[in-house]
Amino acid sequence: MKLREAFESGKFALTAEVAPPKGTDLGHVMEEVEVFKGKVHGVNVTDLQSSVMKMGSLAVCHLIKDKGVEPVFQMTCRDRNRLALQSDLLNASVLGIENVLCLTGDYTTLGDHPQAKPVFDLDSVQLLQAAVKLQNGGDMVGEKLEGTPKFFLGAVVNPGADPLEPQLIKMEKKIKAGAQFFQTQAVYDPSLFGRFMKEASKFKVPVMLGIVMLKSAGMAKYMNENVAGVFVPDNLIAEMKEVPKEDRPKKSVEICARLIKEMRDMCQGVHIMPLGWGKYVPAILDAAGL
Amino acid sequence: MIIQEQKPFDEILQSLEGEEKIFLVGCSLCATTCQVGGEDQLKEMEGKLKEKGKSITGWIVLDPACQAVEVKKKFRERKEEIEKADSILVMACGGGAQSVRENAERIKINKIVHPGVNTLFQGEIIRGGHFEERCSLCSECVLEQTGTICPLTRCTKGLLNGPCGGSSNGKCEVDPDRDCAWDLIYKRLKEIGQLEKMSEIREAKDYSKLMRPRKLILEGDKK
């Protein structure tokens, strides 16, 4: 079942995520994708995540689609101007890629090529607008297309942002611009998510709870200090700290499943970001009863 | 104000390699405020270059260096000293250095012109020697919509439709000491009762208006 169909049929939607390699060896990505096959409705493929130079999202989306897995093509505005972004949207379409997640993108200096020229010709709202225009048969300047693409457009939102109101304003703009579903930044606090969803559910657009698998107490603390709007509560950090290293995946699976169970009724799906721990995703889904 | 800083002295020295006699040019406006091209800095540069075996044929603080008439007038007056020099070192912004080169040439003073300064940004003087960028000279002002806080300049990514996911507690993901422009805009719009402006979708910017080099001739000066 495709992601779009999952939402339309009222099923709790499930997505996971892979990051393309730095280099040409897709072994690890393909292994993870095999694990996800048949268990999720889509797999996000990141676009030079954290501004680190890697293989692109588009090629990997195409290759995993060939393996029978529904890709979610992540597109950031950091590296391409509007000509290239629209062109890649057409490229995606002819490769049968329908789901596109439109993001602003991390700033260049946060990655491994801080010298690179940042583009940000469009922002995420304008990228959504551009995709909608293409779907309607024209490009950003109104030139008619020969053949029209069809997308299922996604966007992101950060429920942990403080203040929250600017995020909600932008979320509503993204919906007006064409966003059909949302995946959130990682959330570990059900009450925070509840407060967010109380506002966000008014928009009547499906929201997928984002969860990054915790790998260790140190990694959780690192996220708290370095990732905007991500807050891992102390009790979860303590839980990760208490277990011996070899039991961390098991603990992480348990925490993820628990969080999903606590929050699933508030939202329409979950987006699990395993950060290389893809092989444990089925265990999370099992434990969460999904 | 064009904010600028002196190039590293070693780099200046390297650019003057093989040249012994130098004429120094400063500027009375931005370069003086930024303490790179005022009288004091030219005197200091004179001393440092002399230590390295150069001789200074003269120096002048133009008022300002970016004005053609001023460059031509003062260079005519000081032609003798300038002609004696192997080259001219300009302690003013990139616009000033080019104006000196261009206008000296126009009055047949053909000297190599070296930039002694790195031009940084158009900035506001917060206090004394503390300068901050506020305007990107984008050719199409959006301040009316954003509570008079420029998102193109003050948001690292130049976003027009609100904060990215990297905004946290009013700070930017790029640098925790940097204010998130959209947090400032949000608070300002809220304060002045114009928060609805934040909900309006801003279309992609027209960068054709930024095609370089830009030029403006006022009606009365068109021939």
Side-chain angles (χ1 to χ4, degrees), chain B residues 19 34 50 71 79 82 90 106 109 146 150 166-167 187 209:
Chain B
E19 293 159 5
C34 293
K50 277 181 174 166
V71 178
K79 191 165 180 177
I82 298 168
V90 181
R106 283 190 181 130
I109 298 178
T146 55
C150 179
S167 172
K187 286 175 180 152
K209 291 185 176 154

PDB file of all heavy atoms in Angstrom, chain B residues 19 34 50 71 79 82 90 106 109 146 150 166-167 187 209:
ATOM      1  N   GLU B  19      57.744  46.522  -5.795  1.00  0.00           N
ATOM      2  CA  GLU B  19      57.440  47.944  -5.885  1.00  0.00           C
ATOM      3  C   GLU B  19      58.020  48.619  -4.656  1.00  0.00           C
ATOM      4  O   GLU B  19      57.851  48.136  -3.540  1.00  0.00           O
ATOM      5  CB  GLU B  19      55.915  48.154  -5.941  1.00  0.00           C
ATOM      6  CG  GLU B  19      55.318  47.597  -7.235  1.00  0.00           C
ATOM      7  CD  GLU B  19      53.819  47.323  -7.122  1.00  0.00           C
ATOM      8  OE1 GLU B  19      53.236  47.647  -6.068  1.00  0.00           O
ATOM      9  OE2 GLU B  19      53.257  46.781  -8.077  1.00  0.00           O
ATOM     10  N   CYS B  34      35.467  52.703  10.049  1.00  0.00           N
ATOM     11  CA  CYS B  34      35.906  51.318  10.316  1.00  0.00           C
ATOM     12  C   CYS B  34      37.386  51.253  10.703  1.00  0.00           C
ATOM     13  O   CYS B  34      37.945  50.159  10.851  1.00  0.00           O
ATOM     14  CB  CYS B  34      35.630  50.432   9.111  1.00  0.00           C
ATOM     15  SG  CYS B  34      33.884  50.204   8.792  1.00  0.00           S
ATOM     16  N   LYS B  50      57.438  51.566   5.707  1.00  0.00           N
ATOM     17  CA  LYS B  50      58.816  52.092   5.756  1.00  0.00           C
ATOM     18  C   LYS B  50      59.728  51.076   6.432  1.00  0.00           C
ATOM     19  O   LYS B  50      60.858  50.846   5.983  1.00  0.00           O
ATOM     20  CB  LYS B  50      58.854  53.426   6.500  1.00  0.00           C
ATOM     21  CG  LYS B  50      58.492  54.619   5.601  1.00  0.00           C
ATOM     22  CD  LYS B  50      58.570  55.905   6.395  1.00  0.00           C
ATOM     23  CE  LYS B  50      58.347  57.127   5.492  1.00  0.00           C
ATOM     24  NZ  LYS B  50      58.081  58.336   6.318  1.00  0.00           N
ATOM     25  N   VAL B  71      38.026  62.117  -6.700  1.00  0.00           N
ATOM     26  CA  VAL B  71      39.264  61.413  -7.035  1.00  0.00           C
ATOM     27  C   VAL B  71      40.041  62.216  -8.082  1.00  0.00           C
ATOM     28  O   VAL B  71      41.243  62.477  -7.928  1.00  0.00           O
ATOM     29  CB  VAL B  71      38.984  59.985  -7.566  1.00  0.00           C
ATOM     30  CG1 VAL B  71      40.295  59.297  -7.956  1.00  0.00           C
ATOM     31  CG2 VAL B  71      38.243  59.157  -6.527  1.00  0.00           C
ATOM     32  N   LYS B  79      49.299  65.213  -8.280  1.00  0.00           N
ATOM     33  CA  LYS B  79      49.802  64.408  -9.389  1.00  0.00           C
ATOM     34  C   LYS B  79      51.295  64.067  -9.247  1.00  0.00           C
ATOM     35  O   LYS B  79      51.711  62.927  -9.477  1.00  0.00           O
ATOM     36  CB  LYS B  79      49.560  65.152 -10.699  1.00  0.00           C
ATOM     37  CG  LYS B  79      49.804  64.293 -11.921  1.00  0.00           C
ATOM     38  CD  LYS B  79      49.230  64.904 -13.167  1.00  0.00           C
ATOM     39  CE  LYS B  79      49.544  63.962 -14.333  1.00  0.00           C
ATOM     40  NZ  LYS B  79      48.986  64.406 -15.576  1.00  0.00           N
ATOM     41  N   ILE B  82      51.973  61.292  -6.819  1.00  0.00           N
ATOM     42  CA  ILE B  82      51.399  60.018  -7.302  1.00  0.00           C
ATOM     43  C   ILE B  82      52.255  59.472  -8.441  1.00  0.00           C
ATOM     44  O   ILE B  82      52.557  58.283  -8.498  1.00  0.00           O
ATOM     45  CB  ILE B  82      49.935  60.211  -7.747  1.00  0.00           C
ATOM     46  CG1 ILE B  82      49.078  60.669  -6.550  1.00  0.00           C
ATOM     47  CG2 ILE B  82      49.360  58.925  -8.319  1.00  0.00           C
ATOM     48  CD1 ILE B  82      47.688  61.176  -6.907  1.00  0.00           C
ATOM     49  N   VAL B  90      45.183  51.401  -1.796  1.00  0.00           N
ATOM     50  CA  VAL B  90      43.943  52.048  -1.365  1.00  0.00           C
ATOM     51  C   VAL B  90      43.420  51.385  -0.090  1.00  0.00           C
ATOM     52  O   VAL B  90      43.089  50.202  -0.073  1.00  0.00           O
ATOM     53  CB  VAL B  90      42.856  51.983  -2.469  1.00  0.00           C
ATOM     54  CG1 VAL B  90      41.590  52.702  -1.995  1.00  0.00           C
ATOM     55  CG2 VAL B  90      43.372  52.634  -3.746  1.00  0.00           C
ATOM     56  N   ARG B 106      41.316  58.002 -15.966  1.00  0.00           N
ATOM     57  CA  ARG B 106      40.616  59.022 -16.753  1.00  0.00           C
ATOM     58  C   ARG B 106      41.433  60.304 -16.854  1.00  0.00           C
ATOM     59  O   ARG B 106      41.289  61.050 -17.807  1.00  0.00           O
ATOM     60  CB  ARG B 106      39.248  59.341 -16.132  1.00  0.00           C
ATOM     61  CG  ARG B 106      38.235  58.272 -16.428  1.00  0.00           C
ATOM     62  CD  ARG B 106      36.838  58.717 -16.024  1.00  0.00           C
ATOM     63  NE  ARG B 106      35.899  57.626 -16.316  1.00  0.00           N
ATOM     64  CZ  ARG B 106      35.004  57.150 -15.463  1.00  0.00           C
ATOM     65  NH1 ARG B 106      34.866  57.688 -14.268  1.00  0.00           N
ATOM     66  NH2 ARG B 106      34.211  56.153 -15.810  1.00  0.00           N
ATOM     67  N   ILE B 109      46.542  59.174 -15.195  1.00  0.00           N
ATOM     68  CA  ILE B 109      47.506  58.679 -14.205  1.00  0.00           C
ATOM     69  C   ILE B 109      47.331  57.169 -14.197  1.00  0.00           C
ATOM     70  O   ILE B 109      46.330  56.645 -13.695  1.00  0.00           O
ATOM     71  CB  ILE B 109      47.234  59.256 -12.796  1.00  0.00           C
ATOM     72  CG1 ILE B 109      47.390  60.778 -12.819  1.00  0.00           C
ATOM     73  CG2 ILE B 109      48.187  58.637 -11.763  1.00  0.00           C
ATOM     74  CD1 ILE B 109      47.103  61.449 -11.477  1.00  0.00           C
ATOM     75  N   THR B 146       7.551  42.640   7.160  1.00  0.00           N
ATOM     76  CA  THR B 146       8.272  41.862   8.175  1.00  0.00           C
ATOM     77  C   THR B 146       8.627  42.684   9.421  1.00  0.00           C
ATOM     78  O   THR B 146       9.618  42.397  10.090  1.00  0.00           O
ATOM     79  CB  THR B 146       9.566  41.275   7.567  1.00  0.00           C
ATOM     80  OG1 THR B 146      10.343  42.349   7.017  1.00  0.00           O
ATOM     81  CG2 THR B 146       9.269  40.257   6.493  1.00  0.00           C
ATOM     82  N   CYS B 150      14.835  42.616   8.362  1.00  0.00           N
ATOM     83  CA  CYS B 150      15.041  41.996   7.048  1.00  0.00           C
ATOM     84  C   CYS B 150      15.346  40.501   7.156  1.00  0.00           C
ATOM     85  O   CYS B 150      16.401  40.117   7.647  1.00  0.00           O
ATOM     86  CB  CYS B 150      16.167  42.682   6.286  1.00  0.00           C
ATOM     87  SG  CYS B 150      16.442  41.885   4.688  1.00  0.00           S
ATOM     88  N   GLY B 166      15.338  24.899  12.278  1.00  0.00           N
ATOM     89  CA  GLY B 166      16.559  25.102  13.065  1.00  0.00           C
ATOM     90  C   GLY B 166      16.465  26.255  14.049  1.00  0.00           C
ATOM     91  O   GLY B 166      17.427  26.578  14.732  1.00  0.00           O
ATOM     92  N   SER B 167      15.282  26.865  14.113  1.00  0.00           N
ATOM     93  CA  SER B 167      15.085  27.968  15.045  1.00  0.00           C
ATOM     94  C   SER B 167      14.772  27.401  16.416  1.00  0.00           C
ATOM     95  O   SER B 167      13.876  26.579  16.564  1.00  0.00           O
ATOM     96  CB  SER B 167      13.919  28.832  14.557  1.00  0.00           C
ATOM     97  OG  SER B 167      13.591  29.790  15.537  1.00  0.00           O
ATOM     98  N   LYS B 187       7.942  38.282  16.901  1.00  0.00           N
ATOM     99  CA  LYS B 187       7.682  39.072  18.113  1.00  0.00           C
ATOM    100  C   LYS B 187       7.298  40.507  17.764  1.00  0.00           C
ATOM    101  O   LYS B 187       6.398  41.084  18.373  1.00  0.00           O
ATOM    102  CB  LYS B 187       8.904  39.047  19.027  1.00  0.00           C
ATOM    103  CG  LYS B 187       9.062  37.700  19.723  1.00  0.00           C
ATOM    104  CD  LYS B 187      10.327  37.629  20.539  1.00  0.00           C
ATOM    105  CE  LYS B 187      10.447  36.255  21.214  1.00  0.00           C
ATOM    106  NZ  LYS B 187      11.834  35.885  21.453  1.00  0.00           N
ATOM    107  N   LYS B 209      16.205  41.082 -10.738  1.00  0.00           N
ATOM    108  CA  LYS B 209      16.407  42.478 -10.321  1.00  0.00           C
ATOM    109  C   LYS B 209      17.780  42.680  -9.696  1.00  0.00           C
ATOM    110  O   LYS B 209      18.205  43.812  -9.464  1.00  0.00           O
ATOM    111  CB  LYS B 209      15.325  42.876  -9.309  1.00  0.00           C
ATOM    112  CG  LYS B 209      13.972  42.959  -9.982  1.00  0.00           C
ATOM    113  CD  LYS B 209      12.891  43.452  -9.066  1.00  0.00           C
ATOM    114  CE  LYS B 209      11.602  43.599  -9.878  1.00  0.00           C
ATOM    115  NZ  LYS B 209      10.407  43.481  -9.077  1.00  0.00           N
TER     116      LYS B 209
END
